[in-house]
Amino acid sequence: MKKTLSTLVLSIIALGAMAQIQRPKLVVGLMVDQMRWDYLYYYYNQYGTDGLRRLVDKGYSFENTLINYVPAVTAVGHSSVYTGSVPALTGIVSNNFYIHDKWMYACDDATVKAVGSNSDEGKMSPRNLLASGLGDVMKMASDCKSKVIGIALKDRAAILPAGHGADAAYWWDTSAGHFITSTYYMNQLPDWVKAINKKIAVKPGTDVKTSVAGVTKTFQMAEAALDGEQLGQDSITDLLAISVSSTDAIGHTYGTRGQQNHDVYIELDRQLAQFMNMLDEKVGKGQWLLFLTADHGASHNHNLLKQRHMMAGGLELWNTLKPMEAALEQELGFAPVIKKESNGWVFINEIGAAKAGKSMEKVKAAVCEKLLTNDSILYAVDCEKVLTTTVPQPIREMIVNGYRKGRSGDIFIVPKAGWEDVDGSEKYIGTTHAEWNPYDTHIPFVMYGWHVPHGETSAPAHITDIAPTICAMLHIQMPNSCVGKAMNDYLK
C-alpha cells in the first residue's frame, strides 16, 4: 500500500514537472535607433555571418512592420515597442511635450537625483509614461523574480523600455564620461557598474554618441550586466533591453549614406555577433530569445535626393512660422498665437486666445489656413477634428493614435513627401525623421533564438505588435494599454 501511494505521489510530481510552462531564460530586446528596415539588406553583403546576417538567415523577419502613429521619434518609439501601445495611451507623445502647461522632457523627474554623477542628466525616471511595459508584466507574472535591466547611451532609450518596475536603467552621462542611473532605481551604483565604468570611461564632456565607439561601449555595458546581474542563469525569465543610440546621432549628423553610416552599422554587426556568442556561452544555445527592431527610420538627405532628380527639401519651420506668426497676431489680436512647434505638433496660446475673446476653434482654423499657404505643407490638421477632414484615412489614424489632449499640440503638420523639418540649404548633409512616410516608419522586426523558426512574412505588422508577440510566447498577460496583436501564428 505504501509503495503504491509513493508511486502515485511520484507520478503526480512528474506530471506537474511535465506541465510546467516553457519559457526562455532570457529575453533580449535590441533597438537600433534610426535603423531603417532596408539597412538589413543595404549592407547585407558586408555584414559578417554571426551578427545581423545570423538574424536574417536563421531568424524570423516581419518584413512589413510599420509605425502606426505620428510623430516617429525616439521617446515614442521606445515606449511603444515595449508597451504595445500608441502615444494617445502611453502619454509619451514626443521627446518633449507639455504636462500641466509646463514644457517637459519625456523622462524629466525633479524628484530624483543622479546616481554615479552630480549632473542634471540623472534627474530622470519613467514616471511620465502612463502605461505598463513588457518588463512590468514579466515582473508581475514571476512575482517580481524576473530581473529587468535597460541600457542605452540615451536616457530615454534605457528608461522607457525598462518600464516602471525595472531593477535598473543605465544611460551615458556625457558630463561624467560614464554610465549612470537615478535614485528612482537605487542609491548607489552596483560594483559591477563601477568596474565597467572604470574600464570604458572617457574624458568628461566627450560626446561618444556621434562615434562608432558609442556602439562598442553600449555592448560592453550589456555584457557587464549579463555577468553582473547573472541574467538568464535560473529558471525565471529575465529581460535585458538594449538600445544602440550612436546610429541615430551619426545619421542626424552625416545622413543615411556615406562612410560614417557604413562604419557604425558594421560595428553594430560585429558587436552583435560577439554578444550573441556570449549569450550562447553564458545562457545556453536555444535558451534565449532576441528581437531586433527600431524606434523609427530616417529620410535620405534632401540634397542627395535632388541630385538624383527626386522631389525633396527642407521645411525649416522655425523660419516659416516667423512671418506667419506676425500676420496671425495682427489678424487675431493677441500674441504669441503659436507658443511652440515640435515634431509637427503646433501648440496654440490658449490663455492668450481666451483673454482676447477668441474661440480656440477659430484660432486653430486661422492657423491651419495660414500654414497651408506654404507649398511644402500638405495638410495642417486641427487634432480635435482630424476624423472629419479630407486627410487620407491611414494618416488620419496615425494622427489620432499620436494625439493626447493636454500633452500633444493642437494642430499637426503633414509635409509633402520628401520634406522634413531640416535646414534647406545645399550645405546640409544630415537627416532627421518624424513623418508618417515609410522612410520614417518602416522598421525592422526580426526574432531569433528560443522557439523561433527561420522564415519571413510580408503580412502587415505594426510596432505595437512586438510586445504582445513576446507576451504570447511567454504565456503572460500583455501590458495594460496594449493595442497591438500577437503575430505568433507566423512562428509555427
Side-chain angles (χ1 to χ4, degrees):
M1 180 69 180
K2 287 183 179 179
K3 184 177 180 180
T4 303
L5 184 60
S6 298
T7 303
L8 179 61
V9 170
L10 288 171
S11 298
I12 292 171
I13 293 172
L15 284 171
M18 289 173 63
Q20 285 182 347
I21 298 298
Q22 292 186 331
R23 295 188 175 103
K25 291 183 177 181
L26 177 66
V27 175
V28 178
L30 177 59
M31 294 191 68
V32 182
D33 204 320
Q34 202 184 113
M35 185 176 184
R36 293 166 53 105
W37 161 81
D38 57 358
Y39 285 160
L40 288 173
Y41 305 103
Y42 182 69
Y43 297 118
Y44 179 87
N45 291 336
Q46 298 172 66
Y47 294 145
T49 56
D50 291 337
L52 290 165
R53 280 178 62 172
R54 181 176 174 184
L55 301 186
V56 173
D57 295 345
K58 297 180 180 180
Y60 196 95
S61 181
F62 294 90
E63 294 281 277
N64 192 23
T65 302
L66 297 170
I67 291 171
N68 53 347
Y69 54 76
V70 285
V73 296
T74 299
V76 189
H78 279 82
S79 56
S80 290
V81 164
Y82 284 85
T83 62
S85 194
V86 293
L89 300 173
T90 67
I92 305 298
V93 299
S94 191
N95 292 329
N96 298 274
F97 44 86
Y98 282 100
I99 298 180
H100 304 306
D101 210 35
K102 181 181 178 182
W103 190 245
M104 299 274 287
Y105 172 61
C107 294
D108 273 347
D109 188 348
T111 70
V112 302
K113 297 180 180 179
V115 175
S117 77
N118 296 314
S119 78
D120 289 344
E121 291 186 50
K123 293 181 178 179
M124 305 288 169
S125 86
R127 288 194 172 110
N128 293 332
L129 175 64
L130 304 179
S132 67
L134 176 60
D136 297 323
V137 293
M138 288 176 65
K139 283 279 188 183
M140 293 305 296
S142 67
D143 293 326
C144 288
K145 294 174 184 175
S146 292
K147 285 188 177 181
V148 177
I149 306 290
I151 291 170
L153 297 184
K154 291 182 181 180
D155 50 69
R156 58 189 180 273
I159 292 168
L160 298 172
H164 295 276
D167 295 274
Y170 300 102
W171 56 94
W172 189 266
D173 185 338
T174 299
S175 67
H178 59 234
F179 281 98
I180 65 167
T181 187
S182 79
T183 52
Y184 177 88
Y185 304 99
M186 62 190 72
N187 292 317
Q188 63 178 5
L189 292 177
D191 289 341
W192 69 263
V193 177
K194 294 177 183 177
I196 191 64
N197 273 341
K198 187 175 181 180
K199 180 180 178 181
I200 67 175
V202 298
K203 182 180 178 180
T206 304
D207 182 11
V208 301
K209 292 186 180 72
T210 54
S211 71
V212 169
V215 178
T216 311
K217 293 179 187 299
T218 301
F219 277 97
Q220 286 176 313
M221 182 63 172
E223 290 168 3
L226 194 68
D227 277 339
E229 295 292 345
Q230 291 292 288
L231 299 176
Q233 297 304 305
D234 57 28
S235 61
I236 307 299
T237 308
D238 299 322
L239 172 65
L240 178 57
I242 308 167
S243 182
V244 176
S245 305
S246 293
T247 43
D248 180 71
I250 287 173
H252 278 292
T253 307
Y254 300 105
T256 60
R257 293 292 183 263
Q259 193 64 46
Q260 294 87 352
N261 197 67
H262 166 273
D263 290 351
V264 76
Y265 276 93
I266 297 305
E267 179 64 8
L268 167 66
D269 177 60
R270 192 178 74 83
Q271 290 294 327
L272 177 59
Q274 180 177 302
F275 184 68
M276 289 194 294
N277 288 335
M278 183 179 181
L279 290 174
D280 282 341
E281 179 186 341
K282 301 253 173 127
V283 181
K285 289 185 178 181
Q287 298 298 311
W288 50 272
L289 171 66
L290 181 144
F291 67 87
L292 167 77
T293 190
D295 51 350
H296 53 74
S299 63
H300 294 307
N301 176 271
H302 60 76
N303 288 313
L304 175 67
L305 292 173
K306 285 187 283 189
Q307 287 170 13
R308 299 175 183 182
H309 306 290
M310 299 181 195
M311 297 179 66
L315 190 55
E316 291 189 347
L317 276 176
W318 58 91
N319 287 328
T320 301
L321 291 176
K322 288 178 182 177
M324 290 184 182
E325 175 67 24
L328 285 166
E329 288 173 5
Q330 185 174 6
E331 176 185 345
L332 297 171
F334 68 96
V337 175
I338 299 171
K339 63 179 181 180
K340 185 80 72 173
E341 183 279 325
S342 178
N343 292 136
W345 297 118
V346 178
F347 299 83
I348 304 299
N349 179 5
E350 189 170 356
I351 295 174
K355 287 182 178 178
K358 304 292 183 180
S359 72
M360 277 292 286
E361 184 176 352
K362 290 183 178 180
V363 172
K364 287 188 285 186
V367 172
C368 287
E369 183 179 0
K370 192 67 68 176
L371 286 167
L372 289 173
T373 61
N374 184 327
D375 289 339
S376 300
I377 295 175
L378 195 59
Y379 300 105
V381 185
D382 179 345
C383 294
E384 295 285 342
K385 294 184 174 183
V386 63
L387 290 176
T388 59
T389 66
T390 56
V391 175
Q393 180 265 339
I395 306 175
R396 288 204 308 266
E397 284 194 5
M398 294 174 80
I399 297 172
V400 170
N401 285 342
Y403 175 70
R404 186 180 182 93
K405 188 175 178 63
R407 291 196 176 191
S408 303
D410 304 289
I411 291 167
F412 192 78
I413 296 171
V414 180
K416 291 195 301 187
W419 268 255
E420 294 267 5
D421 192 15
V422 296
D423 186 335
S425 73
E426 292 182 359
K427 295 180 179 179
Y428 180 70
I429 62 172
T431 188
T432 195
H433 50 84
E435 309 307 334
W436 71 270
N437 309 75
Y439 43 76
D440 285 350
T441 58
H442 189 185
I443 57 173
F445 172 28
V446 186
M447 301 184 68
Y448 178 86
W450 183 83
H451 286 197
V452 176
H454 172 54
E456 66 177 50
T457 179
S458 293
H462 293 111
I463 190 171
T464 49
D465 298 334
I466 297 172
T469 299
I470 304 300
C471 288
M473 293 186 76
L474 301 182
H475 295 282
I476 62 175
Q477 182 59 276
M478 63 187 69
N480 62 15
S481 297
C482 182
V483 295
K485 60 183 182 299
M487 304 293 287
N488 302 72
D489 285 347
Y490 295 96
L491 301 175
K492 295 177 180 178

